[in-house]
């Protein structure tokens, strides 16, 4: 018996004697140990209650921001001042709960808001409130013993039918209504609404509008006509106006080179032609070596040559596309070695033409006479084809920017504020307003203020007749109740009883009649300018239904077991010179 105990020491001594290679393997195996999981079954409804608590917490939090009398939410910021925002999507990203089940509920319902925001750019708060309504009503009937699978099918079919009904009541947005759509989204701020409407009027409905941080306390709108990009002159010696420190050429030529210019002799033929015929020339290249740039600067300072040099915008493949776009706009040809066209042999025919070029230290503007309009239109239609076949948002954004540059108009909304905290809030509001306006242009508008969703609830009785069984009809009934949640929340934020508002709105058959929370009165909302984009309402219906049916058919939850924090407590600092800490 005593001999059976002895191997312990033998084993421990053998481990000490193992080669280094084996020790490494054992260490790596310990490092890759799978994390333990905890499983919660829904036998007594406890898991659903926890998930529902997370959903309701999110809906209560973002619901505060809904409507014209919605309040702000203050978000802690580890580095710098806190964020004070009225944007549901930004609030959603910040929510982290300690309880793992409640946090999963938060993550589930967050999908509705995030997806709506991705597709429509606005409406994340309405999506969350609608999803919470569907889930809360659905949990009640499932607790009573209904089949969750049939309930979720009823919800899905009702959502699809309601989207079809929404398209029937939707109409195209008029130009004067764009300001209303933007203002409603920005919390009834008509200064923002009018600025966005003005921007779209000047650059066209399909034009590009960008939002930038301004340098002043007031918002400003800047319209850039022609092609504009962020590349300035390579040397201040090219400057023609010393007061403004910029270069301005009229009726000039552009030399486009898709490579680095290293030898000054390569450009001699083209520059000689510019001197003889007395036209200004702008060189746009991937880069110009100092020794190639020096003769150009020297001749410019002597007054022999009118010239300027800039670096081609963007990098890699985007740079090549940019140069091609400039070539089509100006009627020039991009010089590329792989196409068999070298800089030494190129003649005047490769040069593009611009009526005006303005170059500052960090930007360039090219304005043309419109003679290449046919080629530009063809190029724009090609890029629009690429946009349709591209799924990635970043790529779509770049392609749309190219279309705007070629079309010759970009509007820049410069956001101004007194403090950084106010600036962030304003930026988010303007971004939402701009996205809502674009969504309205795409798919039209419906009555706002939650009234279009409430009116859709009247169509549920007709939809019920098309469903297969009683449980699916209960799913449709759940949807009817949930459609009243957004208007109830808007009324609550305005300090009014939601049930009274719902009753009064439904008492009249006029589709445009509803509750204007901003003025606390009942009126024709279309005439009052309280309108929502159809795309936002459609996305709310689809994504809220998608999240709700997934939630209601879940019956078990698997979460990671939190490992205890093994970090060592920090030692107290040694006392500095003089008297030590009190109590020692």
């Amino acid at each position: 018996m005593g001999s059976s105990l002895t191997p312990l020491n033998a084993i421990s001594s053998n481990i000490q004697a193992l080669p280094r290679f084996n020790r490494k393997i054992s260490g790596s195996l310990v490092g890759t140990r799978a994390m333990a999981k905890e499983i919660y079954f829904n036998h007594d409804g406890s898991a659903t209650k926890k998930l529902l608590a997370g959903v309701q917490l999110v809906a209560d939090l973002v619901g505060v921001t809904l409507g014209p009398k919605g309040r702000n939410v203050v978000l802690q910021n580890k580095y710098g001042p806190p964020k004070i925002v009225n944007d549901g999507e930004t609030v959603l990203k910040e929510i982290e709960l300690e309880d793992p089940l409640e946090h999963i509920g938060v993550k589930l319902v967050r999908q509705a808001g995030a997806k709506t925001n991705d597709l429509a750019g606005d409406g994340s708060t309405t999506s969350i409130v609608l999803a919470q309504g569907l889930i809360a009503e659905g949990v009640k009937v499932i607790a009573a013993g209904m089949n969750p699978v049939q309930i979720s099918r009823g919800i899905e079919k009702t959502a699809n039918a309601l989207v079809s009904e929404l398209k029937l009541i939707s109409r195209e947005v008029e130009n004067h209504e764009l300001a209303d759509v933007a203002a409603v989204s920005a919390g009834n701020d008509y200064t923002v609404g009018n600025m966005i409407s003005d921007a779209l009027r000047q650059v066209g409905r399909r034009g590009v509008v960008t939002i930038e941080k301004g340098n002043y306390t007031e918002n400003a709108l800047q319209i850039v006509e022609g092609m504009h990009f962020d590349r300035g002159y390579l040397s201040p010696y090219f400057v023609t106006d010393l007061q403004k420190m910029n270069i301005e050429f009229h009726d000039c030529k552009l030399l486009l080179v898709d490579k680095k210019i290293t030898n000054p002799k390569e450009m001699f033929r083209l520059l000689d032609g510019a001197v003889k015929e007395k036209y200004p020339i702008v060189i746009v290249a991937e880069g110009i070596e100092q020794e190639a740039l020096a003769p150009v600067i020297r001749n410019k300072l002597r007054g022999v040559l009118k010239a300027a040099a800039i670096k081609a915008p963007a990098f890699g493949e985007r740079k090549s596309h940019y140069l091609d776009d400039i070539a089509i706009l100006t009627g020039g040809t991009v010089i590329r070695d792989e196409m068999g066209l070298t800089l030494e042999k190129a003649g005047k025919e490769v040069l593009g033409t611009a009526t005006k070029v303005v170059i500052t230290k960090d930007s360039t503007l090219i304005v043309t006479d419109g003679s290449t309009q046919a080629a530009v239109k063809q190029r724009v239609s090609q890029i629009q084809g690429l946009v349709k076949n591209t799924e990635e948002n970043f790529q779509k954004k770049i392609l749309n920017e190219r279309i705007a540059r070629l079309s010759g108009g970009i509007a820049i909304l410069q956001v101004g504020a007194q403090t950084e905290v106010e600036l962030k809030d304003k930026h988010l509001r303007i971004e939402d307003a701009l996205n809502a306006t674009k969504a309205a242009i795409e798919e039209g508008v419906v009555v706002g203020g939650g009234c279009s969703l409430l009116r859709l609830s009247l169509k549920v009785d007709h939809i019920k007749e098309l469903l297969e069984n009683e449980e699916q009809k209960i799913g449709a009934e759940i949807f009817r109740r949930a459609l009243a949640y957004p208007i109830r929340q808007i009324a609550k934020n305005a300090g009014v009883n939601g049930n009274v508002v719902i009753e009064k709105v439904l008492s009249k058959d006029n589709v445009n009649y509803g509750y204007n929370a901003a003025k606390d009165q009942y009126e024709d909302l279309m005439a009052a300018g309280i309108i929502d984009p159809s795309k936002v309402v459609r996305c709310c219906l689809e994504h809220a239904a998608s999240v709700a049916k997934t939630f209601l058919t879940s019956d078990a939850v698997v979460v990671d077991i939190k490992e205890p924090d093994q970090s060592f407590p920090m030692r107290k600092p040694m006392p500095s010179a003089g008297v030590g800490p009190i109590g020692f």
Side-chain angles (χ1 to χ4, degrees):
M1 192 74 177
S3 62
S4 65
L5 292 169
T6 51
L8 272 174
N9 292 330
I11 289 166
S12 61
S13 63
N14 285 345
I15 289 172
Q16 296 295 323
L18 279 170
R20 188 180 289 273
F21 176 71
N22 285 350
R23 276 194 203 169
K24 277 187 179 175
I25 289 177
S26 63
S28 67
L29 288 171
V30 170
T32 56
R33 183 171 64 82
M35 187 178 273
K37 307 280 184 185
E38 196 162 356
I39 302 169
Y40 294 87
F41 289 97
N42 198 31
H43 296 315
D44 55 351
S46 58
T48 301
K49 279 176 193 169
K50 285 271 190 185
L51 292 170
L52 184 60
V55 170
Q56 283 174 334
L57 192 141
V58 176
D60 290 345
L61 182 60
V62 298
V64 166
T65 67
L66 193 64
K69 292 190 179 175
R71 316 299 199 279
N72 293 344
V73 177
V74 183
L75 303 173
Q76 181 196 352
N77 193 1
K78 286 182 183 176
Y79 313 102
K83 292 180 191 171
I84 299 175
V85 296
N86 191 268
D87 177 48
E89 170 65 6
T90 310
V91 175
L92 278 175
K93 288 176 183 171
E94 297 290 328
I95 302 171
E96 292 281 338
L97 300 185
E98 197 173 356
D99 187 297
L101 282 182
E102 286 182 11
H103 189 57
I104 284 174
V106 170
K107 279 181 158 179
L108 269 170
V109 80
R110 189 190 281 164
Q111 290 298 310
K115 193 73 178 166
T116 301
N117 198 69
D118 286 348
L119 287 177
D122 193 21
S124 55
T125 305
T126 310
S127 283
I128 298 288
V129 172
L130 189 57
Q132 183 246 341
L134 287 167
I135 290 165
E137 297 292 340
V139 166
K140 288 177 194 172
V141 297
I142 288 167
M146 295 292 171
N147 182 351
V149 176
Q150 289 300 327
I151 297 287
S152 65
R153 278 184 191 157
I155 289 172
E156 185 183 7
K157 287 176 180 177
T158 308
N160 294 336
L162 288 173
V163 168
S164 302
E165 292 288 347
L166 180 73
K167 285 174 183 172
L168 296 175
I169 61 170
S170 173
R171 65 170 180 77
E172 197 174 328
V173 66
E174 302 289 332
N175 284 337
H176 67 273
E177 289 173 332
L178 292 175
D180 294 324
V181 174
V184 167
S185 181
N188 270 38
D189 187 343
Y190 272 88
T191 55
V192 170
N194 291 329
M195 193 167 69
I196 289 171
S197 173
D198 193 30
L200 289 167
R201 195 183 71 249
Q202 292 193 49
V203 298
R205 286 190 170 198
R206 302 291 171 187
V208 165
V209 181
T210 60
I211 304 167
E212 286 182 4
K213 183 179 172 182
N215 298 322
Y216 307 102
T217 55
E218 293 295 319
N219 297 335
L221 172 63
Q222 182 189 353
I223 305 293
V224 177
E225 292 178 356
M227 183 177 276
H228 181 270
F229 50 86
D230 299 330
R231 281 284 192 266
Y233 44 72
L234 288 175
S235 169
Y237 290 115
F238 289 126
V239 168
T240 57
D241 187 332
L242 291 170
Q243 274 191 329
K244 293 181 182 174
M245 280 304 286
N246 70 4
I247 303 161
E248 191 168 321
F249 289 146
H250 293 272
D251 299 320
C252 71
K253 301 287 183 184
L254 284 94
L255 171 61
L256 308 169
V257 187
D258 194 4
K259 68 163 192 169
K260 192 173 263 190
I261 301 170
T262 53
N263 189 350
K265 289 179 182 176
E266 289 182 305
M267 297 187 286
F268 180 76
R269 187 177 171 187
L270 287 163
L271 295 178
D272 188 44
V275 172
K276 284 176 182 174
E277 296 186 34
K278 294 183 180 179
Y279 54 75
I281 187 165
V282 177
I283 302 158
V284 186
E286 185 184 325
I288 304 176
E289 291 286 344
Q290 204 61 44
E291 60 179 288
L293 196 61
V296 182
I297 294 170
R298 195 160 53 242
N299 282 293
K300 190 265 170 193
L301 293 173
R302 282 179 185 169
V304 176
L305 175 70
K306 282 185 181 178
I310 58 172
K311 198 175 179 184
F315 301 95
E317 192 182 11
R318 280 181 65 196
K319 176 205 67 191
S320 299
H321 290 153
Y322 229 125
L323 286 169
D324 288 337
D325 291 346
I326 296 170
I328 279 170
L329 190 71
T330 60
T333 307
V334 182
I335 294 168
R336 291 192 178 95
D337 288 346
E338 58 263 34
M339 290 176 70
L341 187 61
T342 59
L343 192 53
E344 288 175 355
K345 294 176 183 176
K348 189 185 170 184
E349 68 281 353
V350 302
L351 300 175
T353 308
T355 52
K356 183 182 175 185
V357 174
V358 180
I359 307 166
T360 66
K361 67 180 173 59
D362 49 20
S363 69
T364 300
L365 173 67
I366 301 168
V367 180
T368 59
D369 60 358
S371 58
T372 57
Q373 203 61 40
V376 167
K377 277 186 179 174
Q378 193 180 346
R379 181 74 162 183
V380 166
S381 65
Q382 284 174 359
I383 299 170
Q384 281 170 343
L386 287 173
V387 171
K388 286 177 186 173
N389 297 325
T390 306
E391 290 180 7
E392 199 182 332
N393 283 339
F394 180 68
Q395 287 295 333
K396 274 187 178 178
K397 186 183 172 186
I398 289 167
L399 291 169
N400 281 324
E401 280 179 6
R402 282 178 66 193
I403 291 169
R405 279 197 301 267
L406 284 166
S407 304
I410 296 176
I412 301 166
L413 298 175
Q414 294 175 330
V415 186
Q418 297 283 1
T419 62
E420 193 69 25
V421 174
E422 188 192 356
L423 183 75
K424 283 177 184 172
D425 179 38
K426 266 189 165 183
H427 193 284
L428 289 167
R429 281 173 184 262
I430 292 172
E431 199 175 332
D432 274 357
L434 180 60
N435 289 331
T437 312
K438 286 179 179 175
I441 289 166
E442 277 182 49
E443 293 187 20
V445 289
V446 289
V447 177
C451 293
S452 56
L453 290 172
L454 187 64
R455 293 279 173 197
L456 284 173
S457 66
L458 300 174
K459 310 282 183 184
V460 172
D461 281 335
H462 171 64
I463 293 164
K464 275 185 185 178
E465 295 169 13
L466 309 172
L467 299 177
E468 294 169 18
N469 53 48
E470 283 304 314
E471 286 176 327
Q472 286 188 13
K473 287 176 184 177
I474 291 168
E477 186 57 38
I478 287 166
F479 220 125
R480 185 217 294 274
R481 291 180 203 162
L483 287 167
Y485 274 58
I487 194 170
R488 192 176 280 123
Q489 184 67 46
I490 290 168
K492 182 185 172 185
N493 290 346
V496 185
N497 187 326
N499 293 328
V500 173
V501 170
I502 290 164
E503 197 177 327
K504 275 200 175 184
V505 170
L506 294 178
S507 66
K508 291 211 173 183
D509 291 335
N510 183 4
V511 179
N512 296 339
Y513 181 78
Y515 175 62
N516 184 346
K519 294 178 180 175
D520 191 22
Q521 64 186 45
Y522 298 88
E523 59 182 331
D524 184 328
L525 295 185
M526 276 286 186
I530 311 298
I531 45 183
D532 283 342
S534 303
K535 186 178 183 181
V536 172
V537 180
R538 173 178 67 79
C539 289
C540 289
L541 288 168
E542 289 174 347
H543 301 140
S546 172
V547 165
K549 71 181 190 196
T550 310
F551 184 102
L552 296 173
T553 51
S554 304
D555 206 43
V557 187
V558 180
V559 295
D560 292 332
I561 295 174
K562 264 193 174 180
E563 290 190 0
D565 190 15
Q566 294 178 346
S567 58
F568 296 104
M570 286 183 70
R571 290 180 62 183
K572 288 184 181 178
M574 291 290 286
S576 55
V579 182
I582 294 167
F584 281 85

